[in-house]
Amino acid sequence: MPTAPTRSTDRPEGAKESGPRPEGERIAKLLARAGVASRREIERMIAEGRVALDGTVLDTAATILPSLRGVTVDGNPVAAAEATRLFAFHKPTGLITAERDLAGRPTIYTALRNALPKGTPRLMPVGRLDLNTEGLLLMTNDGGLKRTMELPSTKVPRTYRARAFGEVSQAQLEDLIEGVELDGMRYGAIDANLERGTGRNVWVEMTITEGKNREVRRVLEYLGLKVNRLIRTGYGPFNLGDLPRGQAVELTGKPVARFLSEMTGEPIPRGGVKKADKVEIAAPTKPPRAPRPLPRKGPSARPFPRKDADAAPVSRKGTGAAPYPRKAADAPAAAPRKGPGGPATPPRKSADAGSFPRKGSDRPTGPGTPRPGSDTRSRKRPAPTRGNTPPRGPRK
């Protein structure tokens, strides 16, 4: 059964609690480490009555448990905490750093559906990036690690590159190393350097350790600059590098395991963290192009052009077939065709059978003779095929 820390109202102020402390950790910390949600979100879920232990709804986040056995969230049992994993995501502009948005705007999880491999556990962002801010966004399945890296007391450095409109000197930026107070808000030491200028814009690199809300933009506005582009290039020992926009990759190796050990206070697991390959956004695939037909072997299927009726039949070389048959000029007329149930159709009369010549038939008729009114010079040459293509002469 869960045990809560003892409270006494008659104990003098400042006195220490007597008796040993119950073994285990707070349920909010255990659920956050299991990747359910952040500690603050879990405390809100407990207040709403969504967390239960062995069927009993919990009403305090100070409940101490040795493990998550018997704990349910929204009626679903909570699995044991997985190994801590850390991902790097190149967030583009136009995405909200939240799980859902009441206004219906797209969130980072919309892009992560395609950027992460299947079977990836639920990930939570480490810190936040504004709607118009792009760059490196770390994601983890360990709520405790997320909270530790976000706290200003841990002083994890965050590096940004800002393009701003206006003018500023390096001396003004160096004064930020002592910190600055704006509208009652105190900002710690800021390491700022002037990189270069493009037209009336300047590029400034800033490294902060607190990560307060809109800290970079407010400090540059204090110096008279208007930020029109902001990129986070580093968080802790991790840099954005050449990671393409909209892609995610799991951070692995001994340096990652050493950093996780420093943040969580746990020993480095043997063999480091789980290894994963780089994952790209699934782009729409085009249908494969149909293969080209193979070239025909042997003679072309198109018949050779007929030049003259009296010419000798042309043989088909290489096929072993007989030459094309030719009809003789004095071949007997075809037999009359009989229609269905009617008289026989009279045969057609040839030009030699004494038929009346057509209009303008004073020209000689016969096979191979051009039609009246046609120009032999305007006749198109037959399409070149294999076997009748004339050799190409030298170019003039």
Side-chain angles (χ1 to χ4, degrees), residues 199-235:
R200 303 189 65 180
N201 293 322
V202 293
W203 282 94
V204 180
E205 184 184 47
M206 302 179 64
T207 301
I208 60 178
T209 57
E210 294 179 341
K212 295 179 180 179
N213 186 25
R214 300 179 64 85
E215 180 176 352
V216 175
R217 296 180 184 271
R218 289 178 178 176
V219 171
L220 292 180
E221 289 177 1
Y222 163 75
L223 297 176
L225 300 177
K226 185 177 181 180
V227 178
N228 49 44
R229 187 179 181 185
L230 186 59
I231 309 170
R232 182 196 280 173
T233 59
Y235 200 111

Side-chain angles (χ1 to χ4, degrees), residues 31-47:
L31 291 176
R33 185 175 299 173
V36 176
S38 62
R39 291 190 188 182
R40 188 175 302 175
E41 182 67 21
I42 291 173
E43 292 175 358
R44 189 180 300 112
M45 295 167 63
I46 293 175

Side-chain angles (χ1 to χ4, degrees), residues 79-300:
E82 299 182 359
T84 301
R85 299 174 68 178
L86 192 63
F87 291 79
F89 173 59
H90 189 165
K91 174 193 172 298
T93 57
L95 298 180
I96 300 295
T97 310
E99 189 172 358
R100 63 182 63 88
D101 183 63
L102 298 178
R105 293 172 295 182
T107 66
I108 57 173
Y109 292 95
T110 305
L112 287 172
R113 292 193 191 111
N114 297 326
L116 295 174
K118 294 182 179 180
T120 303
R122 179 184 178 274
L123 300 178
M124 297 166 286
V126 179
R128 292 178 180 272
L129 292 179
D130 297 337
L131 176 67
N132 297 324
T133 304
E134 56 185 300
L136 178 63
L137 181 63
L138 298 180
M139 309 286 295
T140 180
N141 63 332
D142 192 335
L145 174 65
K146 162 186 163 65
R147 180 60 178 167
T148 303
M149 295 181 66
E150 292 175 346
L151 289 175
S153 58
T154 56
K155 298 186 180 301
V156 178
R158 295 101 158 157
T159 304
Y160 294 84
R161 292 184 70 243
R163 185 183 65 186
F165 178 80
E167 296 180 357
V168 69
S169 63
Q170 181 62 34
Q172 292 177 288
L173 297 177
E174 290 178 356
D175 292 340
L176 299 176
I177 199 66
E178 302 295 336
V180 62
E181 184 174 351
L182 304 176
D183 299 331
M185 177 68 70
R186 179 69 184 178
Y187 297 101
I190 300 176
D191 184 10
N193 295 293
L194 182 63
E195 289 188 345
R196 56 187 174 88
T198 55
R200 303 189 65 180
N201 293 322
V202 293
W203 282 94
V204 180
E205 184 184 47
M206 302 179 64
T207 301
I208 60 178
T209 57
E210 294 179 341
K212 295 179 180 179
N213 186 25
R214 300 179 64 85
E215 180 176 352
V216 175
R217 296 180 184 271
R218 289 178 178 176
V219 171
L220 292 180
E221 289 177 1
Y222 163 75
L223 297 176
L225 300 177
K226 185 177 181 180
V227 178
N228 49 44
R229 187 179 181 185
L230 186 59
I231 309 170
R232 182 196 280 173
T233 59
Y235 200 111
F238 311 109
N239 296 322
L240 182 62
D242 55 353
L243 180 65
R245 184 180 304 173
Q247 294 190 7
V249 61
E250 185 170 2
L251 304 175
T252 61
K254 292 183 178 179
V256 179
R258 189 179 300 110
F259 174 78
L260 296 179
S261 176
E262 294 175 358
M263 290 291 103
T264 60
E266 298 178 357
I268 301 176
R270 187 175 183 180
V273 294
K274 184 177 179 181
K275 187 176 181 181
D277 296 327
K278 187 176 179 180
V279 181
E280 298 183 1
I281 296 181
T285 57
K286 297 181 179 180
R289 182 181 298 178
R292 295 183 178 180
L294 298 176
R296 295 179 179 178
K297 296 183 179 180
S300 174

